[in-house]
């Protein structure tokens, strides 16, 4: 995982996933790190989310993850232990010892509800021990509701619940200093004494027991827990949650930020309950979207400023000699691309590629109707697995058996093994046994002498109505730090010239793509067969 993303999102709830999707749709590389501890896990359903009313929380997150994957975003189930900020961005440390890096960070870790220490109360939390009439009020309407007085919100809270039912009781408990007049005027009864326990039978709350032994029959209990932002790991950055007060009483904490979620640390944003303890799910999702858009805009401005700087830099003889020396170094160390050399490269490290799908594949294939795809030169299978996750049947071919075995293992781990056929073969010799709805090849290093025949074979494998996608390193991209391999590079126009009249459309393009700390140029051919 020692690689760099445009953005790492910490927290995979509504805010984090919403921000991640917005960024991935803007073609940013995004990793979501989620500890799997959603605040609303005990609740049966999400409410007040337009068109998603009563969706189970886990289902909403599953839908969000699938949507993110469709745009090439990643999710890892881990906990962030610390974040360090330096000149080149952020270093994010995970609980399992791994690290990852990011140009920007969005924190959407939510909050923790600190519940009163009353016997049986935590067991009923999110079911019939409730906190928000907007979140749960409709479902608790016309029932016998108790309100536990723990702070200055008591009167307001009780009046809100009274709107939904005629039967409301306020338990004075440990905070008895409140204005009784509005409660009594609305027919709300007040019960003195400290609450000792919440009682339940057959999975349903039945009453509230006082220390005196008296039990007041109730079907639900409303409380106002203290809400603490999950942000301890931000302390080394100088980020400390600030108290949220109501009438001089601290009811929770939040990470301070501006309206877009930007914090005092350059490059760090927050969204959702970690910044707004009152935000419901739909509000958190909206905040994530706003933060994601703000982060993307910030990156756009940075990239434009860098482009201007490079353009205005005087190209002195010293710089020219430096570039020439770098090119010569790449020529001397350009890796060979025969089968044995690739096998050795794969075996020399436990993982060579990120596992993410290539950006141009996501752009071109996400709106295609899934069918049968050929991934030519599949490597460790990032593209093939992504296609399978989108519903494609995939034939994945590479001449490295090590890469093939890694891809097969990852596909099994992700539950798509039955959708991918792995073939260890040299594309110079291998002949497809069928036609494909999509033939895709990314950065296939074929010497110029064999290139025409190789691409002709791939073009012939496309079924009528199918798509050919060929992506390579643009020959002008030596400055990006690539080895100088003119014999291995090609333009999209060169590939287009090899196609016959059986194609309905042929588009040859050069596209810029953010990679690590620079911008690279991909040559992209997209052709649709008649």
């Amino acid at each position: 995982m020692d690689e760099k993303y445009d953005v790492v999102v910490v927290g995979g709830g509504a805010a984090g996933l919403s921000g991640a999707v917005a960024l991935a749709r803007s073609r940013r590389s995004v990793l979501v790190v989620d500890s799997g501890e959603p605040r609303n896990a005990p609740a049966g359903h999400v409410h007040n989310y337009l068109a998603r009313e009563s969706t189970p929380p886990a289902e909403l997150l599953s839908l969000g993850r699938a949507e993110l994957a469709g745009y090439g975003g990643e999710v890892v189930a881990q906990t962030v232990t610390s974040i360090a900020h330096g000149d080149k961005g952020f270093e994010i440390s995970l609980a399992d010892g791994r690290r990852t890096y990011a140009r920007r960070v969005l924190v959407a870790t939510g909050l923790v509800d600190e519940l009163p220490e009353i016997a049986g109360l935590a067991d009923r939390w999110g079911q019939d021990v409730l906190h928000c009439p907007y979140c749960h009020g409709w479902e608790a309407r016309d029932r016998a509701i108790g309100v536990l007085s723990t702070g200055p919100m008591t009167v307001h809270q009780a009046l809100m619940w009274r709107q939904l039912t005629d039967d409301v009781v306020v338990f004075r408990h440990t905070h008895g200093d409140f204005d009784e007049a509005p409660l009594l005027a609305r027919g709300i009864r007040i019960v003195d004494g400290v609450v000792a326990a919440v009682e339940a039978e057959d999975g349903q709350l039945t009453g509230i027991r006082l220390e005196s032994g008296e039990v007041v029959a109730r079907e639900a209990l409303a409380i106002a827990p203290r809400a603490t932002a999950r942000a301890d790991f931000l302390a080394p950055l100088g980020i400390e949650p600030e108290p949220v007060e109501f009438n001089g009483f601290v009811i929770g904490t939040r990470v301070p930020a501006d309206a877009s979620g930007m914090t005092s640390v350059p490059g760090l944003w927050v969204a959702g309950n970690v910044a707004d303890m009152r935000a419901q799910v739909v509000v958190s999702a909206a905040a994530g979207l706003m933060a994601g858009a703000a982060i993307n805009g910030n990156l756009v401005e940075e990239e434009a400023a860098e482009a201007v700087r490079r353009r205005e830099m005087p190209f002195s003889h010293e710089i020219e000699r430096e570039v020439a020396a770098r090119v010569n170094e790449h020529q001397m160390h350009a890796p060979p691309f025969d089968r044995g050399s690739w096998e050795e490269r794969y075996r020399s490290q436990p993982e060579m590629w990120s596992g993410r799908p290539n950006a141009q594949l996501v752009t071109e294939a996400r709106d295609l109707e899934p069918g049968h795809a050929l991934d030519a030169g599949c490597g460790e299978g990032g593209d093939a697995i992504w296609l399978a996750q989108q519903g494609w049947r995939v034939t994945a071919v590479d001449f490295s058996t090590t890469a093939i075995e890694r891809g097969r293992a990852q596909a099994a781990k992700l539950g798509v093994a039955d959708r991918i056929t792995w073939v260890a073969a040299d594309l110079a010799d291998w002949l497809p046994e069928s036609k494909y709805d999509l033939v895709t090849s990314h950065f296939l290093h074929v010497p110029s002498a064999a290139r025409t025949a190789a691409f002709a074979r791939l073009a012939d494998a496309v079924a009528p109505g199918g798509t050919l996608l060929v992506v390579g390193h643009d020959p002008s991209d030596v400055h990006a730090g690539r080895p100088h391999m003119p014999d291995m590079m090609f333009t999209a126009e060169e590939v287009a010239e090899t196609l016959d009249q059986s194609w309905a459309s042929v588009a040859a393009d050069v596209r810029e793509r953010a990679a690590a700390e620079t911008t690279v140029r991909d040559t992209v051919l997209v052709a649709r067969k008649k």
Side-chain angles (χ1 to χ4, degrees):
M1 184 174 282
D2 285 348
E3 60 181 280
K4 191 167 186 177
Y5 295 82
D6 288 327
V7 185
V8 166
V9 179
V10 187
L17 289 175
S18 182
V21 168
L23 287 158
R25 281 175 54 85
S26 295
R27 307 183 77 170
R28 298 295 181 186
S29 58
V30 183
L31 173 69
V32 175
V33 182
D34 183 46
S35 64
E37 301 172 304
R39 178 195 182 197
N40 62 357
H45 304 89
V46 168
H47 301 296
N48 292 312
Y49 201 134
L50 189 63
R52 290 291 183 186
E53 174 62 36
S54 296
T55 301
E59 181 181 331
L60 187 69
L61 297 186
S62 178
L63 291 168
R65 288 189 175 197
E67 187 172 319
L68 175 61
Y71 294 108
E74 298 177 64
V75 178
V76 61
Q78 261 302 323
T79 299
V80 170
T81 55
S82 66
I83 299 179
H85 187 214
D87 294 338
K88 295 185 178 180
F90 295 88
E91 178 181 304
I92 299 96
S93 299
L94 308 185
D96 63 359
R98 291 184 294 174
R99 294 176 301 175
T100 190
Y101 304 87
R103 299 167 67 190
R104 303 290 186 271
V105 171
L106 171 58
V107 173
T109 43
L111 52 80
V112 175
D113 293 299
E114 297 179 2
L115 304 178
E117 294 184 3
I118 295 174
L121 185 144
D123 295 336
R124 309 302 310 163
W125 176 239
Q127 301 173 62
D128 38 32
V129 174
L130 313 170
H131 76 294
C132 170
Y134 291 108
C135 302
H136 312 285
W138 177 259
E139 287 66 34
R141 67 192 185 282
D142 298 327
R143 300 171 70 186
I145 305 293
V147 175
L148 186 70
S149 180
T150 56
M153 295 290 290
T154 298
V155 173
H156 177 73
Q157 191 176 24
L159 292 174
M160 292 288 287
W161 287 101
R162 176 63 181 81
Q163 183 182 2
L164 298 159
T165 178
D166 294 334
D167 190 356
V168 178
V169 168
V170 170
F171 293 92
R172 200 180 295 274
H173 191 48
T174 58
H175 188 84
D177 184 17
F178 52 77
D179 185 1
E180 300 180 6
L183 303 181
L184 298 174
R186 289 287 282 146
I188 297 172
R189 185 160 63 98
I190 301 171
V191 174
D192 294 328
V194 176
V195 172
V198 171
E199 298 192 343
E201 292 182 8
D202 300 326
Q204 172 62 52
L205 189 148
T206 57
I208 308 302
R209 178 161 51 85
L210 304 177
E211 287 185 346
S212 64
E214 177 188 0
V215 175
V216 180
R218 295 287 92 184
E219 296 175 275
L221 178 66
I223 66 172
R226 179 187 169 101
T228 303
R230 286 176 171 162
D232 291 346
F233 62 94
L234 296 178
L237 296 177
I239 297 289
E240 295 286 348
E242 64 181 16
V244 178
E245 296 186 1
F246 182 83
N247 290 342
F249 189 88
V250 175
I251 60 175
T253 62
R254 65 181 290 271
V255 173
D258 70 8
S260 74
M262 184 171 64
T263 70
S264 58
V265 176
L268 180 71
W269 271 257
V270 291
N273 282 145
V274 73
D276 181 0
M277 57 172 286
R278 295 186 178 95
Q280 296 184 48
V281 176
V282 68
V283 177
S284 292
L289 169 61
M290 290 180 62
I295 291 170
N296 184 60
N298 182 257
L299 288 170
V300 166
E301 291 178 359
E302 178 184 84
E303 290 158 355
E306 175 63 16
V308 170
R309 186 190 68 80
R310 290 184 178 182
R311 185 173 184 178
E312 294 178 347
M313 181 185 298
F315 196 81
S316 65
H317 293 299
E318 289 76 12
I319 295 176
E320 186 174 8
R321 283 197 296 269
E322 180 183 345
V323 171
R326 189 177 301 171
V327 168
N328 288 335
E329 181 182 353
H330 288 324
Q331 288 176 326
M332 293 174 60
H333 296 92
F337 292 98
D338 60 278
R339 189 172 193 165
S341 298
W342 270 110
E343 196 66 54
E344 183 178 346
R345 291 180 70 190
Y346 277 114
R347 290 176 179 174
S348 68
Q349 50 192 303
E351 182 181 66
M352 180 171 290
W353 311 117
S354 70
R356 298 198 306 270
N358 281 295
Q360 312 303 349
L361 174 67
V362 174
T363 296
E364 298 300 331
R366 65 180 169 221
D367 293 328
L368 295 178
E369 183 69 26
H372 192 183
L374 169 63
D375 182 5
C378 65
E380 292 167 316
D383 285 352
I385 291 171
W386 180 83
L387 285 167
Q389 290 173 326
Q390 311 312 305
W392 291 81
R393 292 180 296 111
V394 186
T395 298
V397 184
D398 199 282
F399 61 12
S400 169
T401 55
T402 299
I404 287 290
E405 288 308 312
R406 289 177 183 173
R408 181 181 285 113
Q410 184 67 3
K413 180 180 178 181
L414 296 175
V416 293
D418 60 334
R419 304 196 65 83
I420 306 176
T421 299
W422 301 92
V423 179
D426 192 332
L427 287 167
D429 306 317
W430 181 75
L431 292 176
E433 298 179 355
S434 61
K435 302 293 185 182
Y436 301 88
D437 302 297
L438 170 65
V439 173
T440 174
S441 171
H442 278 70
F443 312 112
L444 182 64
H445 296 103
V446 179
S448 58
R451 188 177 300 141
T452 300
F455 288 146
R457 187 177 293 117
L458 296 182
D460 184 63
V462 179
T467 300
L468 173 66
L469 173 62
V470 178
V471 180
H473 300 305
D474 188 73
S476 68
D477 219 15
V478 174
H479 73 278
R482 304 190 187 286
H484 187 57
M485 305 173 295
D487 192 48
M488 299 291 182
M489 292 181 169
F490 56 88
T491 66
E493 288 79 4
E494 290 176 49
V495 183
E497 290 173 359
T498 68
L499 301 180
D500 57 23
Q501 301 300 312
S502 63
W503 299 87
S505 65
V506 177
D509 196 9
V510 175
R511 301 177 185 174
E512 291 190 345
R513 170 173 54 86
E517 299 176 9
T518 187
T519 298
V520 299
R521 293 163 61 85
D522 294 338
T523 181
V524 182
L525 174 109
V526 183
R528 317 287 184 190
K529 213 162 200 178
K530 295 179 181 177

